[in-house]
Structures are given as structure tokens and as C-alpha cells.
Amino acid sequence: MPSSHDWINKPLGVVEAMFAQSNSNPEWEAKVLEYFKGQLKEKESHSWVPSLNDVPLHYLKPNSLVKFRCLVQDMFDPEFYMGVYETVDPSTKANVLRCGKYKDVTECGVDLNSRNTVTAERQTFYCVPIPGESPWAKEISFLSAARVVPSTSYVPSRQKRSYEEDDDDMDTQPQKQREPHTEPHGNGDSKRQETEAPSSQTTTPSDCSSHLDLNFPLPGERGPACLVKVYEGLDSFKLNDTLEIYGILSVNPVLTVLGEEKDPSLLLLNPTESMETPEEQRAHDPPASLVPRLHMLYARPLQHNNPLLPSAPTEDQSAFVSSFLVEMASVRAELLAYLTHVLLGDGLAAEYLLLHLISDVYTRRDVLPLGKFTLNLSGCPLNSYTERLYQIVQQLVPCSYRLSMSLHTMNSMRLVPKKDYVANRLVSGALQLARNTSLFLDETQLEQGQLDSSGVRNITALGNLISWQKVDYDFSYHQMEFPCNINVLVTSEGRSLLPSDCQVPLQPQVTPPNMEEYLTTIHMAQFTSQINKFRVYLSLARTLDYSISDEVTKAVEDDFVDMRKDDPQSVTAEDLHRMLVVARLLSLSLGQTTLSRDGWMRAKHIDMLRRSRTEQQKSLNGNEP
Amino acid sequence: MSSPTSTPGRRKRNRDDIPATPKSTVSPPSQRRRGQDSSNGDLPAMPTSPATDIASPAVHDTSLFSSPKAPSHHLNALREVDMSSPLMYGTPSSRVEGTPRSGVGGTPARQRPDLGSIRKAPQVDLHSEPPSADGAVASEQALGQKLVIWGTDVNVGTCKEKFQRFLQRFIDPTSNEDENAGLDLNEPLYMQKLEEISVVGEPVLNVNCSHVQSFDADLYRQLISYPQEVIPTFDMAVNELFFERFPDSILEHQIQVRPYNALKTRNMRSLNPEDIDQMITISGMVIRTSQLIPEMQEAFFQCQVCAFSTRVEVDRGRIAEPAVCRNCNTTHSLALIHNRSAFSDKQMIKVQESPDDMPAGQTPHTTIVYAHNDLVDKVQPGDRINITGIYRAVPMRENPRQSNVKSVYKTHIDVIHFRKTDEKRLHGLDEDSDQKLFTEERVQILKELASKPDVYDRLSSALAPSIYEHEDIKKGILLQLFGGTRKDFSQTGRGNFRAEVNILLCGDPGTSKSQLLQYVFNLVPRGQYTSGKGSSAVGLTAYVMKDPETKQLVLQTGALVLSDNGICCIDEFDKMSDSTRSVLHEVMEQQTLSIAKAGIICQLNARTSVLAAANPVESQWNPKKTTIENIQLPHTLLSRFDLIFLMLDPQDEAYDRRLAHHLVALYYQSEEQIEEEFLDMAVLKDYIAYARTYINPRLNEEASQALIEAYVDMRKIGSGRGMVSAYPRQLESLIRLAEAHAKVRFSDKVETIDVEEAKRLQREALKQSATDPRTGFVDISILTTGMSATARKRKEEVAQALKKMIQSKGKTPAMKYQQLFDDLRGQSEAAITKDMFEEALRALADEDYLTVTGKTVRLL
């Protein structure tokens, strides 16, 4: 069983053994990486590694191998460390060569003047759990991790309940705060909350003094943030990458002490200490008990964070895909029916919503992102309909965030990440999201009033995000452009003030007297297995390849020319762009990887339907005085 | 390690009773092994000059006690020690003496904390074993032996001599640096600079490392590898030379050599452990500067019992407090007297990688930089600078209460030289400010590309490949990206000639104008993108702001100034307010911006190309109207655009088919296919940067003839129909375009083909924008005066007809307005609109023939 695996429990032992064998031959570093990669390749072996996402920090063994599913939120400056150093035994005066890699702290008695010291370079990434990860994704990945007994003393039996608590958000916070007092030395659950409390902004009394902002992109997020020390392939990582990192956990309390204890007299005389402002200290050296350090041995970029799909691109994934492809059409029909119910019986809107949910920026041609499909659902009923709609979307996609565009939030919220030069870190904003996150913009919340300058900036940022799929991060002296891949869904009463690729006015076929009840019953009627199928379907459809044959290309061209011939004003290049995207998504949603003539006709057809509907809407509005 | 455990005790006044503390090294030993480098012994044997003795340990060995030193890797002499030596140029105390002084001996040396608090390194003999006992070095010291500074291969004497030779002989006839303005290029450059020092009295000599390199590669290598040993030697050399030449000059302190432009590193990202303790040059942007930090250089202690005073040098940030008073032997009686201690200025500066040289998708790195003495407060946040300095790494503080240490080093740079890269923008002459370093291979690739006959077409199709067709527009933008040759006519009183090409795109909405602008904005390093709707005159030009911290007025520059030497993309040009647009008049022809607000009067350079996009007023382009009527922009502004293109939806079948094909291909082609078809954006970027920096084409004879002919032809076309069809402005833009086209070919000569293409492009643009919709002829006056010549003629005709009609009516002093209009309509064959009628009335009123009051028209 996993407990016998030394490479999980004592990875440093493995590293040191290899270092000792190497006789300072630099090849040992590659060997170490090779070894861990090989171990992780073995079937199931990666699931034996406990995950920081699921297991509370204090249940994990220090210096053991752990994994962390995260987003690279910030990249700190590279640092130089002692890769190899020599220690002197005070009693025997013998010099011993030691390896400093994958460690924060050196052994006793370092000989700083040794000529064998090798300085090496590494970089620190500030990583946070994937923002907006849906509760169901967390829960499933947690449960699957619990199947194998992690190499800790932690028994995760009570975890289930606490995740349910997480679902109903702010209301339960006060109660949670009370909990440690009511049952002081209770079970593991309450302990867990004690440690998590500071990260979720509700500080328990003891933490009040050293309040730490863990810099999560979205408000109300929780979970461990992590300082990941990266040794190899620094250029291959980018900001906002989602990664699964395997590394050695380091929670040495020394790290905290070094950061906190300040002898003022020493500070005065030692110039190196005055380099950093207190803010910077706090941002870069937070207590290890809150922000553990992780020394990366292996990292895997994640295409998606859907725990229901095999994450590794291996043979079993392709097997999984081909087995699912058979079902694809039927699942699609069921999902469409489900969405039609949700959208009050509007089949066309449901079709478009489905296409939107599987859209993905699959490539960029110079500045133009291809494949984005921002949907504007206009004519949404008021009174918490949109809120319920979001909850349903959240149930389907692994990552989502609802931004209620009320005047207050637009004026006060930070959407665009901004560099804080005092603390020397990138202060996150709500638009720093992982790829394929569903961003639900609720414009029905917008009321009349004045946007101040930050509100205007926020709206501009949203507009840029939708039209170019990029966010200009604010570096105060200049802006820096970061491409992103976010699915934006705008719900509004009338036409949205934001640009969109496609607007669908909602035409409810049913008007349930009690909206809440109606939607809840629909939601409850679905079995979990059914919902899971939907989840797999949406994630999978996105990953399929797609191509257009020459023959169909020709047909599409002819079609376009014909349409233009009838009425050149009605069909523009932009329309063709959109129809090509619709055709692509439509084919993929059916599990077809090439565009057929039929698919093209269908795309054209539904686009016609949609356009006639918007025009109808326009004329309706035009008649109004 | 054969360490000189017994470094000969140097003269240590006042320090004899200090318990020698075991030292922790300042710098981490990097992989490079200095001790072994020296064994190469590749230096030519030079007779040791007597000057060597100054620093040689033997001379210093006068103290009775020699504190045993722990084996220290960087056992380098602190300069203070030298200063206390009688052979050195001065002592700290001599600084306070106000006596007039001159000559080497009289001028005080100034500490160079930028080189680190280091001692003058002891020299070791290469051929002998390391000394094993005190004074051993002294005995071995003999002429003819090669002495090098410990841990390096630097021989002080040789090095000094070499540098003096460099100063005396180095001539750089091709120099075009602005610092060297006014110097005779055929005389030794640095001797002239020394002369300048003697006149100006600023004791700093900036030395360009590339000069050193071209003069003596070995000296350069030493300078880069062992800056903290070599630079003091340079100082010594330069001072000797200077005071030999100008024995009477009085300087504040001795001359300090400040090397710059070390070619070692250009990018912050490429700094690595190998660069530690070496001299490097990096570029970056200042993001934060600290307050001034007084750093103690020498602590002053006084005995509380007997008032005996003693001085202690600060060693790596620590003061070893004397435990026992030497005079009265009382223990722990010495107290630090702050105001008699010596301090030096220090400032922490944070520098961030400049956004241009960062890989996409990563965050910029920052580096801490320490400025010392007069370099403090030389730079402000926001400045783009090149820093030359020594890269340092310091281990994290050892906590006495803890046995284990954090295994991380803190790194910083000690600045030797700052060079602002954007400073010159205020002065002009900045061709090299964007200078990017191209590798040999890259240049080869670019040249290869340039030699292809179809390079022009290739590049233009590589531009915004996702936008379909509009070949001529892309070609125009391509030429804009290259720009013309900058010419200076200031001597003849005309000032600078505009070299930038301005382009206006107008056309139907949805014809991907914005996309084209976005592309250009992303392509050029100094591009700005603004929208006419959202920008005010202030945002475009510059505004004055009160700095929240200092309460000082600060001039903040707007988009046009920021895109100096770049391209300013202005979308929705038509939606701009008139006052905003008026700012552009000056920028687009004079290329400057004059500001007079809040007590700040200045003229900023704004040598920016403007790429603007405008939508027609009626949302759809009306082909029956002229450009001016369609976009409603003042003709004064329009005439400043070299090329005005219409981007229209052509609405014809063949075009539709090609468009559809293009779009569909966009959606299904794989990455590789795209790569094959089009040039990489990075190559295009480099190509443009290279051409802009290195290629300055001039007109050759035939090309000038061709231009003259072209201009005359254009004038002729007009004169045949009684109107002017070309103005000097057109000729100027023709020249610019031809030069830009020559740049595309990497050619130093503007030839006839360039002129031909310029002519074609201009004609093409005119055909689109300056065609008189009534006659179908190209009429430049539409753009220059806002009205076509036929329209003007027509106006006159109507006025004459009206006059005739009134005259025919006989003696009627007053007429009804409406009646007159109706009459004229009835009489005239052509349809007469109300506008035309009113214009005619106005024309007649101008002639003092009649006046219009309300609804009646009176004859005068």
C-alpha cells in the first residue's frame, strides 16, 4: 500500500541518495526528475499522492510529496540559493557536501566560505486554487482522492458535511466562527475550520493581528495558497496557467520566524534587511503554516479541471473519448431538453446556450481570437431568475463565476489585476481566471446611476475581454496584455451594453407562477448520474478536433456569395465569422469532427431563426415611443 | 584551498585592539573560480611599475600587530585603509581641511561604495607559493615578478598602463553619441574629456566599455570580470594622467571612472549566478526609489572615561565596537558619537524589466539597485534607464539564535553608471534609443529576406493576415511602419522635416478598420491606441498633475508624446471633439507639442506617425459625396495625411468569393499551414526595427529626377483644367514614401522603383479619396481646400445667374427671399438646392451687391 512508498513519504531521502551517488556530477538533477516522473507514470500512482486541495495542511506530513491543483497567480523574481554547500561538523571538523535543492533551509554549520558551494537559480510562483472551481468538482475530486488512503493520519470521513456547508455561502459564516467556541476541542472538523478561517477573511480572534490577504482572484474564495519553488523549465510556465504540481511540501516554522522576528538594531545596521518593505515581507514570506512552500518536482498542465474526465492525455483517455462519442448525440438531446426547461421552454435559446458552454478560443490569428462565442441572453425575467440560472450553469461546468453588474460592484470591484509596487506583487482581480472559466455577467442587476472612473475602466475591461479575449493588466507605468480564454455569458433585460458575438432574445413559452419553485423542481428532477453525464459531455466536446473539408469549404463560399447576391447589406463578413463559429460548435456538440454540408445548413438555419427574432425585437422596440 | 591565512597585516591604525572577528563572506562563491583563473598567466610580462607599490602589501606593512584573518574569499582591501596610508592621495580628515589644494596629493580621494566596501586587494605572486608567514610577501616582492591581485589575474601595473594608453590613444572617428558632441573625433577622445573635466570641474569620467573592448579586448575582459579591482586601478591611472596634464586644476575629489555599456548582459531576465560580482549592463524602468539612506562609512567612538577617540570602519554593514579603550584600558567605555561619524549617501532603487523585452504571458522581473553618493536621486520612478553596475549576492542574515540558515541569497546591483534611455527624447537625435541588439544570425536572416525580389509584397501580406485583401492599404501601413529618412534643416532655419507618414482610413463600419489598428498597435514597440470618443486633448498631449507625495507639479505625458518614435493609432477619429483634433495640427506637421499650462511652458517632441480610422457621418459611405463631406473633418487636418484610404465594402461577387475563402480558411487551417504562408510576426518586428535603426536611404540622381517629373506631371494635370492638382505637401509625402520603400528593400539609395511605387500608392489613395464624385476626376483640392474645383466653379455660376436675374428685374430695392429662390429655381436648368442658393446670396453679399436681412433681400 502507499504507505510503503518512500518516494511519497520521504522524497528528500530519494533526492539525497541520488545526490550522494552522483559525486557532484550535475546529471543527477535530471535523474531525480526522471525518477519521479517515472513513478508518477505508473498506473494510479498519482492518486496515492495526497492533494493540498483536499487534505487540510496540518494533516500532511512535512517534507512529503504532495500535489496541488492550482493557477499561477503571480511570478516572483528569481532567487539564488545554495545548490550545493558544505557543512562543518563542529565536533569532528569534517566537511560534508550537502544538497540544497528542494529545500528552504540549510543544515547546521554551513561553511559559507567553502569553495565547493554552487549557487543555483530558482523561481517562486504564487499559486492559488483554481478560482471559481465549482463545489461539485471539488467534492468529486476529493471523494476520488479518499478512495485510496492518503499517507497521512487524516481520516476524511467528515469532509462531506463541511463541503455542503461551503455551498451555502456567506450565511453560514457567523455560525462557523462560533463553532470553535461551542465545541472547543472537538473533532477534526472544527480544527480544520480554525486553520481555514483566516483565509476566508473571517479571522478568528487569534489571527486578528496578522491578517493576511491571500490574494485570491475572486472574493469569498478559500483554500490554501502556495509558494511553489520552480527549478526547471522556467520559461514554459505562464501566468494564469492551470497546473497540477507534484512537489515536496515544506512547512518549516523557521521560515515564519525569519520573516517575523525583527531585531530593530540589526535592521538598522544590516542594509540587506532594509531592502524589503514590511508589505513586501508579508507578501513574499507569509507564515508557512498558512502559505506552505512546495518544491516542484513535476508539473502537469491541466487542460480542464473536470474530475470526471481522465486528466492525463493517455491511452485510457482516448478510449474514454471513443466510448463516450457513441453516447454523444443522446446526451446532447437530453441536455438540450434540460436546458430548454431551464430557459422556460425556449428551445432556440437552449441550443445557443449549449453551444456557448462548449465554446473555446482554440487559436489566435494575429490579434483575432478564433472560436470565442460570447452569448447575450436578453429579455431575462427579473427577480432572481438569473441567479438560479447561474446556479444551474455552475452545476454543469467545472469553473464559473457570477459577476453581478450592479452599479456598486462595477464602481468598487477590482476586475483587472494591478501590480502593487510597494508589496511587489500582482494584486489579483476578478478577471484573472483560468482557461474556459464561465463568466456569468448579470446585467439585470444594473440600475440607473453614474459610473465613476473605475467603473468605466471596469466596463472597458469587460468589453476588451469579450472582443479580444485579453485583459490588460495594470502595471501603473504601462499596461501589459495577457491573453485569456473565458466564456462570457451576459444576461440582460434589453440588448446588453457590452459587445457580444451573438444576441438571443429569450422568448419564454411558459410563465410559471413561482420561478424559484419551477427551477428547483427541474433541477431536482435530474439524477446525479445524469448531471455527471452532462458535465463530461460539456468538457469533452470542447477538446475534440475539428476540420473543414475542401468540398464543404467550397459550398460555404458559394453559399456566402449567393446570400450576398440577394442582399449585400444583410450578410456581412462578420455574419460569416459568426456562422462559421456556430457551425463549428454545432458539429462538435454532435460529436462530429468535420463540418458536413448538413451541419452548415443547420448552422445557417438556426442563425436565421435567431436573426429574425432579434429583428422582430427591434421592430417591437421601434414602435415604442 | 591554499588561502593566505596570513594575509600580511596592513596598516591598521586604531584597530589593533579590535578582536578580529571571523568574517563571513559577502559574496557567495560562484562557480567560477577566481583563484585558478590567475594561473593562466596569459598576461604579457610587464616590468612592474613603481606605482604598483602603492597598493602592494609590503608598503603597508608597518603596523606592529597584524590581525590574523580568517580565510576569506574576498579579502579585498577597503579603500579607507589606503586612504590612511601616507602614499594615498588623502585621508578622510583631509576632506574637511579647507586649504587650497591641487595635484594628486592635494585632491581628496572619495570613497566608492559602488564598488563595495572592499579593501585594496593584496597582490600575490603567481610564480611563488602563497605566503605562509607574515611579511613573506614583502620579501618576495621583486621587480620582474608578476604580481596580481589576489583571486584575479589583474596586475595593477599592467592594467594601469594599458588604461593610460587607452586614454591617450583611443580615437573613435565614427562616434555619434550625443555626449561626444563638440569633440574633435580625430583626436583622442578621452583626453578631450579630461580636458573637459579640468574646465567643468566635474570629476567623473564616463568610459564606454565598447571602446575599451575595441582597443584592448583583454583589458575589457578584466574590467568585466573583476570590476571591483580593476576600476580603482583605472581611477588611479586616470588621476595620475590628469594631474600630470593639469597640475593646477582643483577638483572636488579625485576623478572617478564610470564605465558603461558593458556588453555582457542586456536583459534582466538573463542574469544568472555566473554574473555575480561581474560588471553588467541591464536596461529597465525605475519603479520605486527609496528615501536617502545615510550609510555609515566610518564610526567614531569616544571613551567616556578619558575622552580618547577612535575611528572604526564599517565592514559590510557592521561595526566592530572596540571593547577596551586603548588609552586608559577601561573596558566597555567607548560610545558611538553619531555626528562625528562619516556617512555616505545611498538610495535603493527598484528597477523593473522594460515591457518590450519580456516573453509574453509572464510577469516582469524586478531588481534592486543601490545608488551611492552623487548617483542618488539621479533617476525618478518611470524613467527608462540603462544601468551599469556590479551584480551582488548576499546570503540572508544569519540569525544568532538559529543554527540553520535560509539557503537563499539576496541579490542587488551596485550602480556605477546610469544612462537614461528616454532622456534624449527631449533633445532630439535619438536614432539609437530603441536600438535592439541583433544577433549575427538574425541579421543574416533579415538580409536574406531583404534580398528577395518580392520582399515588399511578402511583408505587406504578412501584415495582419487575418484581414482580407486591402493590399494597398496594407502597403501604405507598411511604409508607415518604416517611415522616411529624418532630415535636419535646422541650419537653414526650417527645422526638422517630418519623416513620419500619416495615414487615415475611412470607410464603412465593420470593415475591420479597428482590427487593423489593433494589429499595428501590437506590432510596434512604442504604439499607443486611443479612441477618439474617449480621449480628450489633454489625454492626447500632456497634463500637469500634482504629485500626491511631493506636492510638486508633474508633467504627465499623453498618448501622442508617449508614442514618440512610434505610431499613435486613433480609432473613431471623426468622433473626436474639435478642440482635441486641433492639437493634432501641430503634431502632424511640426512633430512637436507645445504646452503652456500651470506655469510649465515647454515643447515636447511628438515624432509620431498617426494612423487614424474614421467612420462616415451617415454611418454608410455615400459615394455621391466627397471625402470631406462624408467624414466631416476639416481639410486643414486632412491635408496632413499622406495617404487617405477608403475601406469600402465593394459588393461584387468575385470579391465576396475571395473573402469567403479567406475567412473559411482562417477557421480551419492549422497552425503549421499558417506558419508556412506568412512571415512570423517576430521576424516582421525585427525587420522593421532593423530597417528603422540602420537604414537611412538618400535620394540618388535618377530618383530625384523622377520625383521632379512626377510632381510636374501632377501639377500639369490640374493646370489643364484650370485648377491646382498638387501642392508641395504632396511632393514631400511622395519623397517620404519613396524613402520608406527603399528602407523596405534595405537599400541606402532611393531609386526610381521606389519613386514609382510611391507614385502608384499615392495615386491609388488619391483615386479613392480625392475623386470628385461629380466629375470623376481626381482633384486634390478636395483635400486641401475642402471643395473640389468644379464645385467652386459651380458656386460662382449660380451666383452670377442670381445676379443676372436680379439685375433683369430692374429697380426693386427689396425682394422676398422665398420668391427669389423660387424664381431662380424656375429659371435655372440644373436643380438648385437651398444650400446653393444661400451660398450664392452670401457670395453676392461679399461683393457688396446686396444684404440679407431676415426674409428680405435688399440691393445696395
Side-chain angles (χ1 to χ4, degrees), chain B residues 225-246:
Chain B
S225 314
Y226 313 113
Q228 61 188 30
E229 288 87 10
V230 173
I231 294 174
T233 317
F234 280 10
D235 279 358
M236 231 189 300
V238 90
N239 279 304
E240 273 175 24
L241 201 66
F242 179 78
F243 286 109
E244 208 174 278
R245 282 215 152 199
F246 311 99

Side-chain angles (χ1 to χ4, degrees), chain A residues 169-354:
Chain A
D169 33 302
M170 301 313 266
D171 318 43
T172 54
Q173 295 292 3
Q175 179 221 330
K176 271 187 188 173
Q177 250 182 325
R178 250 177 282 123
E179 235 177 51
H181 299 283
T182 48
E183 33 171 25
H185 298 289
N187 47 33
D189 202 328
S190 67
K191 268 193 211 152
R192 193 181 75 91
Q193 272 154 10
E194 272 177 296
T195 52
E196 280 202 353
S199 60
S200 58
Q201 314 256 326
T202 55
T203 42
T204 49
S206 62
D207 282 302
C208 281
S209 52
S210 65
H211 173 74
L212 261 168
D213 177 13
L214 288 181
N215 209 3
F216 292 125
L218 300 176
E221 288 266 303
R222 67 183 60 194
C226 202
L227 283 168
V228 179
K229 308 277 180 184
V230 186
Y231 293 84
E232 266 89 19
L234 289 171
D235 292 336
S236 61
F237 299 105
K238 293 209 161 85
L239 201 70
N240 302 342
D241 273 357
T242 44
L243 303 170
E244 185 161 63
I245 295 172
Y246 292 84
I248 300 169
L249 183 73
S250 164
V251 285
N252 199 324
V254 178
L255 295 170
T256 318
V257 178
L258 277 177
E260 301 228 324
E261 268 183 43
K262 283 246 170 183
D263 193 338
S265 63
L266 273 170
L267 190 128
L268 193 89
L269 289 175
N270 196 341
T272 56
E273 289 300 312
S274 59
M275 274 184 201
E276 288 184 337
T277 56
E279 291 89 350
E280 199 170 343
Q281 281 270 332
R282 221 172 297 151
H284 289 250
D285 290 309
S289 53
L290 280 176
V291 182
R293 318 294 195 260
L294 199 59
H295 295 267
M296 184 197 280
L297 282 168
Y298 173 63
R300 202 178 56 190
L302 290 178
Q303 292 300 309
H304 58 83
N305 63 328
N306 190 337
L308 294 168
L309 253 66
S311 46
T314 49
E315 308 91 62
D316 49 309
Q317 196 200 13
S318 54
F320 182 85
V321 170
S322 50
S323 69
F324 197 84
L325 271 178
V326 187
E327 280 185 89
M328 205 98 173
S330 68
V331 177
R332 181 193 141 93
E334 285 165 39
L335 178 58
L336 192 63
Y338 175 57
L339 288 177
T340 311
H341 277 301
V342 170
L343 292 172
L344 309 173
D346 187 341
L348 186 68
E351 184 100 35
Y352 270 97
L353 182 59
L354 193 150

Side-chain angles (χ1 to χ4, degrees), chain A residues 62-137:
Chain A
N63 298 328
S64 66
L65 190 72
V66 294
K67 63 181 173 189
F68 186 39
R69 192 171 65 244
C70 61
L71 170 110
V72 181
Q73 192 269 325
D74 195 4
M75 294 166 143
F76 294 155
D77 292 333
E79 60 186 20
F80 293 171
Y81 68 99
M82 293 177 221
V84 178
Y85 60 93
E86 220 166 12
T87 52
V88 187
D89 196 309
S91 52
T92 60
K93 301 279 175 215
N95 284 9
V96 186
L97 216 54
R98 304 228 181 225
C99 155
K101 214 176 173 185
Y102 308 116
K103 277 180 232 167
D104 284 309
V105 180
T106 59
E107 309 279 329
C108 314
V110 178
D111 178 11
L112 287 165
N113 304 319
S114 163
R115 298 177 16 87
N116 292 321
T117 308
V118 176
T119 312
E121 190 179 7
R122 68 182 178 202
Q123 200 178 352
T124 309
F125 293 164
Y126 189 83
C127 295
V128 295
I130 296 170
E133 194 169 54
S134 303
W136 64 264

